[in-house]
Amino acid sequence: MLPARIDVPPATYLEQVGTIFARFGDGTQDSGNVSYGVRTATTQYFVKTAGDRDNTEAYLGFDDRVGLLRNAAELAHSVSHPTLPALHAVIESPDGPLLVYAWRAGDLLGRRHPAYERFKALPTDEIRTALDTLYELHAALDAAGWIPGDFYDSSMLYDFGSRALTVFDLDLYHRGAYRNTMGQMFGSSQFMAPEEHVLGAPIDTRTTAYVMARTARVLLPEPPPALDEVIVEATTARFPNYRAFYDAWLTASSTIEESRTNRST
């Protein structure tokens, strides 16, 4: 049973209950967050914290990091999906909450990592399957009112052995539509919608459709024509909402499968 509160720093507590086998902080995350891989006698966890409250080099202050961790916990409690690691507990500490997630195996798909090109070199059908699960997740998030923020390839892990996609680090997703208060928002320009570059622009479910279509454009080098048409529409004329994009993607996928079945009979 994990406690609701601890009275020691996060790292001290984690060293007491298990072995820290990985640390992600300075040099790997510029947000100021510090995360840990922790192994106990029975399982492994991924534990995310707000990091050092005195870190002045992070692009977010300590209170903002704490707020985003609480936002991530709200998202995890509101949506359950196989791509999302289970959130086992939120433990309060003198240095903010510890979000204790299930550990997920996989390689980071960020373009600076070897898995990026390896993933893009997979058979088209395998990439499509991964995208299908990503889009199914976002259908659930969309239905719960969540709008993306700072989603890009480094928000995903891929286990090449089990062909399983994991999506994580959704701290900047918003519950409901919102306005761009930054101008140039956080994220990778390869995945961002035009409104994520414009101060005051609305960020809503249309943005979700654009970002997901850009994900396909980046990760699926040679999409079948039917899917390519959906990607083009999502990033030019634009779909009115995410559900319209998702339905169009499912329809195009069905067309591909029907055509394949007809050719084999």
Side-chain angles (χ1 to χ4, degrees):
M1 175 70 71
L2 295 168
R5 180 176 297 276
I6 57 176
D7 295 320
V8 296
T12 301
Y13 166 73
L14 296 175
E15 288 169 346
Q16 291 172 351
V17 299
T19 300
I20 296 175
F21 64 86
R23 183 181 187 278
F24 311 95
D26 296 340
T28 59
Q29 297 183 110
D30 55 6
S31 64
N33 294 105
V34 177
S35 301
Y36 304 89
V38 180
R39 183 181 297 112
T40 69
T42 58
T43 191
Q44 294 185 152
Y45 298 105
F46 176 80
V47 182
K48 190 167 186 177
T49 77
D52 182 1
R53 67 173 61 244
D54 296 322
N55 183 348
T56 59
E57 296 182 0
Y59 66 72
L60 289 174
F62 178 78
D63 290 343
D64 288 332
R65 299 197 300 271
V66 167
L68 289 178
L69 288 178
R70 299 199 187 285
N71 185 65
E74 181 185 349
L75 184 149
H77 288 142
S78 68
V79 174
S80 177
H81 190 269
T83 59
L84 294 178
L87 179 63
H88 291 296
V90 178
I91 303 173
E92 299 298 335
S93 85
D95 296 309
L98 290 71
L99 272 56
V100 183
Y101 292 97
W103 179 265
R104 287 288 187 91
D107 296 295
L108 192 65
L109 291 185
R111 62 175 45 251
R112 300 177 184 175
H113 299 266
Y116 176 77
E117 293 298 339
R118 182 183 175 191
F119 181 84
K120 291 178 63 175
L122 291 172
T124 295
D125 282 351
E126 185 171 344
I127 299 175
R128 277 181 53 207
T129 298
L131 289 172
D132 286 347
T133 60
L134 176 68
Y135 294 166
E136 181 185 73
L137 164 65
H138 279 83
L141 290 167
D142 183 71
W146 291 99
I147 306 297
D150 194 26
F151 177 88
Y152 62 119
D153 44 17
S154 285
S155 301
M156 295 178 283
L157 300 174
Y158 192 70
D159 187 330
F160 289 89
S162 64
R163 299 185 177 182
L165 182 74
T166 294
V167 181
F168 67 106
D169 200 19
L170 305 184
D171 305 19
L172 281 165
Y173 276 44
H174 285 245
R175 199 73 175 269
Y178 60 103
R179 292 276 175 179
N180 178 346
T181 60
M182 298 176 62
Q184 178 70 26
M185 296 179 68
F186 295 129
S188 166
S189 59
Q190 278 201 308
F191 294 81
M192 295 167 71
E195 55 269 25
E196 294 180 272
H197 301 272
V198 180
L199 184 66
I203 310 296
D204 54 27
T205 183
R206 296 174 68 248
T207 309
T208 313
Y210 190 103
V211 171
M212 291 300 108
R214 283 299 308 168
T215 303
R217 180 63 75 209
V218 171
L219 297 179
L220 186 61
E222 297 181 2
L227 294 181
D228 191 58
E229 289 179 9
V230 177
I231 295 168
V232 169
E233 182 171 353
T235 54
T236 54
R238 308 286 297 267
F239 285 97
N241 51 55
Y242 179 74
R243 187 72 222 186
F245 162 77
Y246 185 51
D247 287 345
W249 179 270
L250 293 177
T251 298
S253 294
S254 295
T255 300
I256 292 169
E257 295 305 323
E258 289 172 5
S259 176
R260 183 175 295 169
T261 300
N262 291 337
R263 288 199 304 269
S264 63
T265 57

